[in-house]
Amino acid sequence: MSLKKLEPLLTGKLTQLQQQGLCKGNEKVITGMKAAADGFGPRYFLEGCGDRAFLRMNSNSYLGLAMHPQVIKAEAEAAEKLGTGPGAVRFISGTYRPHIELEQKLAEFHGRESAMLFSSAYTTVTGVLPQFISADTLVVSDALNHNCIINAIRLSHPAGKEIYAHADMTALDKILEAYKGRVKRVCVVTDGIFSMRGDYAPLDRINACCKRHEGAYEEGIITLVDDSHGVGAFGRAGRGTEEYTEAKADILIATLGKAFGVNGGYVVSSSAAIAYLRETSPFYIYSNPITPAEAAAAGAALDIVTNDEGLQLLEKLRLFSARLRSGLEQLGFETLPGEHPIVPVLIRDSGKTSALAAHLLANNILVTGLNYPVVPQGEQEIRLQVCAEHTGKDLDYLLAKLADFKR
């Protein structure tokens, strides 16, 4: 037995991905960090780049809590007390007090009856969504939903699957009208914040549309929202898309690994829904949870977000996001309006997108360039992400280097 017969096929697949422009390439390895100084925010060192220090404009750590002393202390103390790993899946012997306390805090934060932790937001979506889709269910998905939602639907066996054009409520309305009498249940699933664009799902209008049609379905219509980029980074108090649109999903999923600066995912909903998931979701039952130390760190991060310091960080994030958008527009770059710290620079050309990403890297700025076919033809962009640890001098430096490229 060997891989000799298979390896040429694998190599051929990699060559095909390279030709299609889909290869991710070598990962950049962060080897260290330079603390904020002289009015600039933190800088990061990369393997193979010597003493060059890079400004990160491609991080999901929106509030900068991964390096917050209170969060680090909570994780260190919990690791000293409880060890580095859970030791088992939760129903065997892997549930610790920090897991329970964090779930209680998350439920309260989102105004729900109950919460449940997973090892990541991706596994939360794939572990939750299929449990609410039966052979008599229609699942309806936004065209720009994240890959985790797409794969969760693939794991399900619905009676039907429909995709509506991005945030198009007329299209959603037509789908719900067309399926009356054909299925018993409908599950409408969407991102809260769309990760490539930074725009948000109109949850208030989605709910209103679902409410108009729900009476025609024997088992009703449920909404499921993955707001991993929204929670902690969007809304006045960081409650995400629900807070911004003043509407709630039936089932809300989010992450601990972005604005909260730790690791893991979670779902909040009614007590009945969470109790059902604890008994049915394979990604919960058969997979280890986040470590007790991670749970303690996430709890500390949540405490920060819910106090005055968190409100100040969120206000800074909004101001700096607006400042960057304004600066881009003054330079003649195309971006999208909004308040989220994902600020896309729409280049709409693969060659120019790659050239701009290379230009910024040469000037010690890390960004994410998105080209076709990762994004549709004509939608090529540089995705910039603002974090609360950035400074005004950081944004000025970024805009100056963008201006150099523009010239």
Side-chain angles (χ1 to χ4, degrees), residues 212-283:
R212 286 197 301 272
H213 295 279
E214 185 172 27
Y217 293 94
E218 182 181 333
E219 296 178 0
I221 301 176
I222 62 172
T223 54
L224 187 150
V225 174
D226 175 6
D227 204 20
S228 290
H229 281 276
V231 172
F234 193 54
R236 189 196 68 83
R239 266 73 172 183
T241 303
E242 289 192 329
E243 180 179 24
Y244 192 85
T245 62
E246 298 182 345
K248 281 192 173 183
D250 295 304
I251 301 161
L252 178 69
I253 290 170
T255 185
L256 303 170
K258 291 183 171 60
F260 294 130
V262 190
N263 181 47
Y266 64 92
V267 56
V268 295
S269 190
S270 67
S271 295
I274 297 301
Y276 166 74
L277 287 169
R278 289 192 196 277
E279 298 296 333
T280 60
S281 176
F283 291 91

Coordinates of all heavy atoms in Angstrom, one line a residue, residues 212-283:
R212 N -45.0 37.3 6.5 CA -46.2 37.4 5.6 C -46.5 36.0 5.1 O -47.7 35.7 4.8 CB -45.8 38.3 4.4 CG -45.8 39.8 4.7 CD -45.9 40.6 3.4 NE -44.7 40.4 2.6 CZ -43.6 41.0 2.6 NH1 -43.4 41.9 3.6 NH2 -42.6 40.7 1.8
H213 N -45.6 35.1 5.0 CA -45.8 33.8 4.4 C -45.9 32.6 5.3 O -46.3 31.5 5.0 CB -44.7 33.5 3.4 CG -44.6 34.4 2.2 ND1 -45.5 34.3 1.1 CD2 -43.9 35.5 1.9 CE1 -45.2 35.2 0.2 NE2 -44.3 36.0 0.7
E214 N -45.5 32.9 6.6 CA -45.4 31.8 7.5 C -46.6 30.9 7.7 O -46.6 29.7 7.9 CB -44.9 32.3 8.9 CG -44.6 31.1 9.9 CD -43.9 31.6 11.1 OE1 -44.1 32.8 11.5 OE2 -43.2 30.8 11.7
G215 N -47.8 31.6 7.7 CA -49.1 30.9 7.9 C -49.3 29.8 6.9 O -50.1 28.9 7.1
A216 N -48.7 29.9 5.7 CA -49.0 28.9 4.7 C -48.1 27.6 4.8 O -48.3 26.7 4.1 CB -48.7 29.5 3.3
Y217 N -47.2 27.6 5.8 CA -46.4 26.4 6.0 C -46.7 25.8 7.3 O -46.6 26.4 8.4 CB -44.9 26.9 5.9 CG -44.5 27.4 4.6 CD1 -44.5 28.7 4.2 CD2 -44.1 26.5 3.6 CE1 -44.2 29.2 3.0 CE2 -43.7 26.9 2.3 CZ -43.8 28.2 2.0 OH -43.5 28.7 0.7
E218 N -46.9 24.5 7.3 CA -47.4 23.7 8.4 C -46.4 23.8 9.6 O -46.8 23.9 10.7 CB -47.5 22.2 8.0 CG -48.0 21.3 9.1 CD -48.2 19.9 8.7 OE1 -48.4 19.6 7.4 OE2 -48.0 19.0 9.5
E219 N -45.1 23.7 9.3 CA -44.0 23.8 10.3 C -43.4 25.2 10.4 O -42.3 25.3 11.1 CB -43.0 22.7 10.1 CG -43.7 21.3 10.3 CD -42.7 20.2 10.0 OE1 -41.5 20.5 9.7 OE2 -43.0 19.0 10.1
G220 N -43.9 26.1 9.7 CA -43.4 27.5 9.8 C -42.2 27.8 9.0 O -41.7 27.0 8.2
I221 N -41.7 29.0 9.2 CA -40.5 29.5 8.6 C -39.5 29.9 9.7 O -39.9 30.7 10.6 CB -40.7 30.7 7.7 CG1 -41.7 30.3 6.5 CG2 -39.4 31.2 7.0 CD1 -42.1 31.5 5.7
I222 N -38.3 29.4 9.6 CA -37.3 29.8 10.6 C -36.2 30.6 9.9 O -35.9 30.3 8.8 CB -36.7 28.6 11.4 CG1 -36.0 27.6 10.5 CG2 -37.8 28.0 12.2 CD1 -35.3 26.5 11.3
T223 N -35.5 31.5 10.7 CA -34.4 32.2 10.1 C -33.1 31.9 10.9 O -33.2 31.8 12.1 CB -34.6 33.7 10.2 OG1 -34.9 34.1 11.6 CG2 -35.7 34.2 9.3
L224 N -32.1 31.6 10.2 CA -30.8 31.3 10.8 C -29.8 32.3 10.2 O -29.6 32.5 9.0 CB -30.4 29.9 10.5 CG -29.1 29.4 11.2 CD1 -29.2 27.9 11.4 CD2 -27.8 29.7 10.4
V225 N -29.0 33.0 11.1 CA -28.1 34.0 10.7 C -26.7 33.7 11.3 O -26.6 33.4 12.5 CB -28.5 35.4 11.2 CG1 -27.4 36.5 10.9 CG2 -29.8 35.8 10.5
D226 N -25.7 33.7 10.4 CA -24.3 33.6 10.8 C -23.7 35.0 10.8 O -23.4 35.5 9.8 CB -23.5 32.6 9.9 CG -22.0 32.6 10.2 OD1 -21.6 33.2 11.2 OD2 -21.3 32.0 9.4
D227 N -23.5 35.5 12.0 CA -23.1 36.9 12.1 C -21.7 37.0 12.7 O -21.3 37.8 13.5 CB -24.0 37.8 13.0 CG -23.9 39.2 12.6 OD1 -23.5 39.6 11.6 OD2 -24.4 40.1 13.5
S228 N -20.8 36.1 12.2 CA -19.4 36.0 12.7 C -18.6 37.3 12.6 O -17.8 37.6 13.4 CB -18.7 34.8 12.1 OG -19.3 33.6 12.5
H229 N -18.8 38.0 11.5 CA -18.1 39.3 11.3 C -18.8 40.4 11.9 O -18.3 41.5 12.0 CB -17.9 39.5 9.8 CG -16.8 38.7 9.1 ND1 -15.5 39.1 9.2 CD2 -16.8 37.6 8.5 CE1 -14.7 38.3 8.6 NE2 -15.5 37.3 8.1
G230 N -20.1 40.2 12.3 CA -20.8 41.3 12.9 C -20.8 41.5 14.4 O -20.6 42.5 14.9
V231 N -20.9 40.3 15.1 CA -20.9 40.4 16.5 C -19.6 40.9 17.1 O -18.5 40.4 16.7 CB -21.3 39.0 17.1 CG1 -21.1 39.0 18.6 CG2 -22.7 38.6 16.7
G232 N -19.6 41.9 17.9 CA -18.4 42.5 18.5 C -17.9 43.6 17.7 O -17.0 44.3 18.2
A233 N -18.3 43.7 16.4 CA -17.7 44.7 15.6 C -18.7 45.7 14.9 O -18.3 46.6 14.3 CB -16.9 44.1 14.5
F234 N -20.0 45.4 15.1 CA -21.1 46.1 14.4 C -22.2 46.4 15.3 O -22.5 45.6 16.2 CB -21.5 45.3 13.2 CG -22.4 46.0 12.2 CD1 -21.9 47.1 11.6 CD2 -23.6 45.4 11.8 CE1 -22.7 47.8 10.6 CE2 -24.4 46.1 10.9 CZ -23.9 47.2 10.3
G235 N -22.8 47.5 15.2 CA -23.9 47.9 16.1 C -23.3 48.8 17.2 O -22.1 48.6 17.6
R236 N -24.1 49.6 17.8 CA -23.6 50.6 18.8 C -22.9 49.8 20.0 O -21.9 50.2 20.5 CB -24.7 51.4 19.4 CG -24.2 52.6 20.3 CD -25.4 53.1 21.1 NE -25.9 52.2 22.1 CZ -25.3 52.0 23.3 NH1 -24.2 52.6 23.7 NH2 -25.8 51.1 24.2
A237 N -23.5 48.7 20.4 CA -23.0 48.0 21.6 C -22.4 46.6 21.1 O -22.2 45.7 22.0 CB -24.0 47.8 22.6
G238 N -22.1 46.4 19.9 CA -21.4 45.2 19.4 C -22.3 44.0 19.3 O -21.8 42.9 19.2
R239 N -23.6 44.2 19.3 CA -24.6 43.0 19.1 C -24.8 42.7 17.7 O -25.6 41.8 17.3 CB -25.9 43.3 19.8 CG -26.0 42.8 21.2 CD -25.2 43.6 22.2 NE -25.5 43.2 23.6 CZ -24.9 43.8 24.6 NH1 -24.1 44.8 24.5 NH2 -25.2 43.4 25.9
G240 N -24.0 43.3 16.8 CA -24.0 42.9 15.4 C -25.2 43.3 14.6 O -25.9 44.3 14.8
T241 N -25.5 42.5 13.5 CA -26.6 42.8 12.6 C -28.0 42.9 13.2 O -28.8 43.7 12.8 CB -26.6 41.8 11.4 OG1 -25.3 41.7 10.8 CG2 -27.6 42.1 10.4
E242 N -28.2 42.1 14.2 CA -29.5 42.1 15.0 C -29.7 43.5 15.6 O -30.8 44.1 15.5 CB -29.5 41.0 16.0 CG -29.7 39.6 15.5 CD -30.0 38.6 16.5 OE1 -29.6 38.8 17.7 OE2 -30.7 37.6 16.2
E243 N -28.7 44.0 16.2 CA -28.8 45.3 16.9 C -29.0 46.4 15.8 O -29.8 47.3 16.0 CB -27.5 45.6 17.7 CG -27.6 46.9 18.4 CD -26.3 47.2 19.3 OE1 -25.3 46.6 19.0 OE2 -26.4 48.0 20.2
Y244 N -28.2 46.4 14.7 CA -28.2 47.4 13.7 C -29.6 47.5 13.0 O -30.1 48.5 12.7 CB -27.1 47.2 12.7 CG -26.9 48.3 11.8 CD1 -26.0 49.4 12.2 CD2 -27.5 48.4 10.5 CE1 -25.8 50.4 11.3 CE2 -27.2 49.5 9.7 CZ -26.4 50.5 10.1 OH -26.2 51.6 9.3
T245 N -30.2 46.3 12.8 CA -31.5 46.2 12.0 C -32.7 46.2 13.0 O -33.8 46.2 12.5 CB -31.5 45.0 11.1 OG1 -31.4 43.8 11.9 CG2 -30.4 45.0 10.1
E246 N -32.4 46.1 14.3 CA -33.5 46.0 15.3 C -34.4 44.8 15.0 O -35.6 45.0 15.0 CB -34.3 47.3 15.4 CG -33.4 48.5 15.8 CD -34.2 49.8 15.9 OE1 -35.3 49.9 15.4 OE2 -33.7 50.8 16.6
A247 N -33.8 43.7 14.7 CA -34.5 42.5 14.4 C -33.7 41.3 14.9 O -32.5 41.4 15.0 CB -34.8 42.4 12.9
K248 N -34.4 40.2 15.2 CA -33.7 39.0 15.7 C -33.9 37.8 14.8 O -35.0 37.6 14.2 CB -34.2 38.6 17.1 CG -33.5 39.5 18.2 CD -33.8 38.9 19.6 CE -33.0 39.7 20.6 NZ -33.2 39.1 22.0
A249 N -32.9 36.9 14.7 CA -33.0 35.7 14.0 C -33.6 34.6 15.0 O -33.4 34.8 16.2 CB -31.7 35.2 13.5
D250 N -34.2 33.6 14.5 CA -34.6 32.5 15.3 C -33.4 31.8 15.9 O -33.4 31.3 17.1 CB -35.5 31.5 14.6 CG -36.8 32.2 14.1 OD1 -37.5 32.7 15.0 OD2 -37.1 32.2 12.9
I251 N -32.4 31.6 15.1 CA -31.1 30.9 15.5 C -30.0 31.8 15.0 O -29.8 32.1 13.8 CB -31.0 29.6 14.8 CG1 -32.2 28.7 15.2 CG2 -29.7 28.9 15.2 CD1 -32.5 27.5 14.2
L252 N -29.2 32.2 16.0 CA -28.0 33.1 15.7 C -26.7 32.4 16.0 O -26.5 31.8 17.0 CB -28.1 34.4 16.5 CG -26.9 35.4 16.4 CD1 -27.0 36.0 15.0 CD2 -26.9 36.4 17.5
I253 N -25.8 32.4 15.0 CA -24.5 31.8 15.1 C -23.5 32.9 15.0 O -23.6 33.8 14.2 CB -24.3 30.7 14.0 CG1 -25.2 29.5 14.3 CG2 -22.8 30.3 13.9 CD1 -25.3 28.5 13.1
A254 N -22.4 32.8 15.8 CA -21.3 33.7 15.7 C -20.0 33.1 16.2 O -20.0 31.9 16.5 CB -21.6 35.0 16.5
T255 N -18.9 33.9 16.2 CA -17.6 33.3 16.5 C -17.0 34.0 17.7 O -17.4 35.1 18.0 CB -16.7 33.5 15.3 OG1 -15.4 32.8 15.6 CG2 -16.4 34.9 15.0
L256 N -16.1 33.3 18.3 CA -15.3 33.9 19.4 C -13.9 34.3 18.8 O -13.1 34.9 19.5 CB -15.1 32.9 20.5 CG -16.3 32.4 21.2 CD1 -16.0 31.2 22.1 CD2 -17.1 33.5 21.9
G257 N -13.6 34.0 17.6 CA -12.3 34.1 17.0 C -12.1 35.4 16.2 O -11.0 35.5 15.6
K258 N -13.0 36.3 16.2 CA -12.8 37.5 15.4 C -12.8 38.7 16.4 O -11.8 38.9 17.0 CB -13.9 37.7 14.3 CG -13.7 36.7 13.2 CD -14.7 36.8 12.1 CE -14.4 36.0 10.9 NZ -14.4 34.5 11.2
A259 N -13.9 39.4 16.6 CA -13.9 40.6 17.5 C -13.5 40.2 18.9 O -12.8 41.0 19.6 CB -15.2 41.3 17.5
F260 N -13.8 39.0 19.4 CA -13.5 38.6 20.8 C -12.1 38.1 20.9 O -11.6 38.0 22.1 CB -14.5 37.5 21.3 CG -15.9 38.0 21.4 CD1 -17.0 37.3 20.8 CD2 -16.2 39.2 22.1 CE1 -18.3 37.7 20.9 CE2 -17.5 39.6 22.2 CZ -18.6 38.9 21.6
G261 N -11.4 37.9 19.8 CA -10.0 37.7 19.9 C -9.5 36.3 20.4 O -8.3 36.2 20.8
V262 N -10.4 35.3 20.5 CA -10.0 34.1 21.1 C -10.1 32.9 20.0 O -9.4 32.9 19.0 CB -10.8 33.8 22.4 CG1 -10.2 32.6 23.1 CG2 -10.8 35.0 23.3
N263 N -11.0 32.0 20.3 CA -11.2 30.9 19.4 C -12.5 30.2 19.7 O -12.9 30.2 20.8 CB -10.0 29.8 19.5 CG -10.2 28.7 18.6 OD1 -10.4 28.9 17.4 ND2 -10.0 27.5 19.1
G264 N -13.1 29.6 18.7 CA -14.4 28.9 18.9 C -15.6 29.6 18.3 O -15.5 30.7 17.8
G265 N -16.7 28.9 18.3 CA -18.0 29.4 17.7 C -19.1 29.0 18.7 O -18.9 28.3 19.7
Y266 N -20.3 29.6 18.4 CA -21.4 29.3 19.3 C -22.7 29.6 18.6 O -22.8 30.3 17.5 CB -21.3 30.2 20.6 CG -21.4 31.7 20.4 CD1 -22.6 32.4 20.4 CD2 -20.2 32.4 20.1 CE1 -22.7 33.7 20.2 CE2 -20.3 33.8 19.9 CZ -21.5 34.5 20.0 OH -21.6 35.8 19.8
V267 N -23.8 29.1 19.2 CA -25.1 29.4 18.7 C -26.0 29.8 19.9 O -25.8 29.2 21.0 CB -25.7 28.1 18.0 CG1 -25.7 26.9 18.9 CG2 -27.1 28.4 17.5
V268 N -26.9 30.7 19.7 CA -27.9 31.1 20.7 C -29.3 31.0 20.1 O -29.5 31.2 19.0 CB -27.6 32.5 21.2 CG1 -26.3 32.7 21.9 CG2 -27.7 33.6 20.1
S269 N -30.2 30.6 21.0 CA -31.6 30.4 20.5 C -32.4 30.1 21.8 O -32.0 30.4 22.9 CB -31.7 29.2 19.5 OG -32.9 29.2 18.9
S270 N -33.6 29.5 21.5 CA -34.5 29.1 22.6 C -33.9 27.9 23.4 O -33.0 27.2 22.9 CB -35.9 28.8 22.1 OG -35.8 27.6 21.3
S271 N -34.4 27.7 24.6 CA -33.9 26.6 25.4 C -34.2 25.3 24.7 O -33.4 24.4 24.7 CB -34.6 26.6 26.8 OG -34.2 27.7 27.5
A272 N -35.4 25.2 24.1 CA -35.8 24.0 23.4 C -34.9 23.7 22.2 O -34.4 22.5 22.0 CB -37.2 24.0 22.9
A273 N -34.5 24.7 21.4 CA -33.7 24.5 20.3 C -32.3 24.1 20.7 O -31.7 23.2 20.1 CB -33.6 25.8 19.4
I274 N -31.7 24.7 21.7 CA -30.4 24.3 22.2 C -30.3 23.0 22.8 O -29.4 22.2 22.6 CB -29.8 25.4 23.2 CG1 -29.7 26.8 22.5 CG2 -28.5 25.0 23.7 CD1 -28.8 26.8 21.3
A275 N -31.4 22.6 23.6 CA -31.4 21.3 24.1 C -31.5 20.2 23.0 O -30.8 19.2 23.1 CB -32.6 21.1 25.0
Y276 N -32.2 20.5 22.0 CA -32.3 19.6 20.8 C -30.9 19.4 20.1 O -30.5 18.3 19.8 CB -33.3 20.1 19.8 CG -33.3 19.6 18.5 CD1 -33.8 18.3 18.2 CD2 -32.8 20.3 17.4 CE1 -33.8 17.7 16.9 CE2 -32.8 19.7 16.1 CZ -33.3 18.5 15.9 OH -33.2 17.9 14.6
L277 N -30.2 20.6 20.0 CA -28.9 20.5 19.3 C -27.9 19.7 20.2 O -27.0 19.0 19.6 CB -28.4 21.9 19.1 CG -29.1 22.7 18.0 CD1 -28.7 24.2 18.0 CD2 -28.8 22.1 16.6
R278 N -27.9 19.8 21.5 CA -27.0 19.1 22.3 C -27.2 17.6 22.1 O -26.2 16.8 22.3 CB -27.2 19.5 23.8 CG -26.7 20.9 24.1 CD -26.7 21.1 25.7 NE -26.6 22.5 26.0 CZ -25.4 23.2 26.0 NH1 -24.3 22.6 25.7 NH2 -25.5 24.5 26.3
E279 N -28.3 17.1 21.8 CA -28.6 15.7 21.6 C -28.5 15.2 20.1 O -28.4 14.0 19.9 CB -30.0 15.4 22.1 CG -30.3 15.7 23.5 CD -29.4 14.8 24.5 OE1 -29.0 13.7 24.0 OE2 -29.1 15.2 25.6
T280 N -28.3 16.2 19.2 CA -28.4 15.8 17.8 C -27.2 16.2 16.9 O -26.9 15.6 15.9 CB -29.7 16.3 17.1 OG1 -29.7 17.7 17.1 CG2 -30.9 15.7 17.8
S281 N -26.5 17.3 17.3 CA -25.5 17.8 16.5 C -24.2 17.0 16.6 O -23.5 17.0 17.6 CB -25.2 19.3 16.8 OG -24.1 19.8 16.0
P282 N -23.7 16.4 15.5 CA -22.5 15.5 15.6 C -21.3 16.3 15.9 O -20.3 15.8 16.5 CB -22.5 14.9 14.2 CG -23.3 15.7 13.3 CD -24.3 16.3 14.2
F283 N -21.2 17.6 15.4 CA -20.0 18.4 15.6 C -19.9 18.8 17.1 O -18.8 19.3 17.5 CB -20.0 19.6 14.7 CG -19.8 19.3 13.3 CD1 -21.0 19.0 12.5 CD2 -18.6 19.2 12.7 CE1 -20.8 18.7 11.1 CE2 -18.4 18.8 11.4 CZ -19.5 18.6 10.6

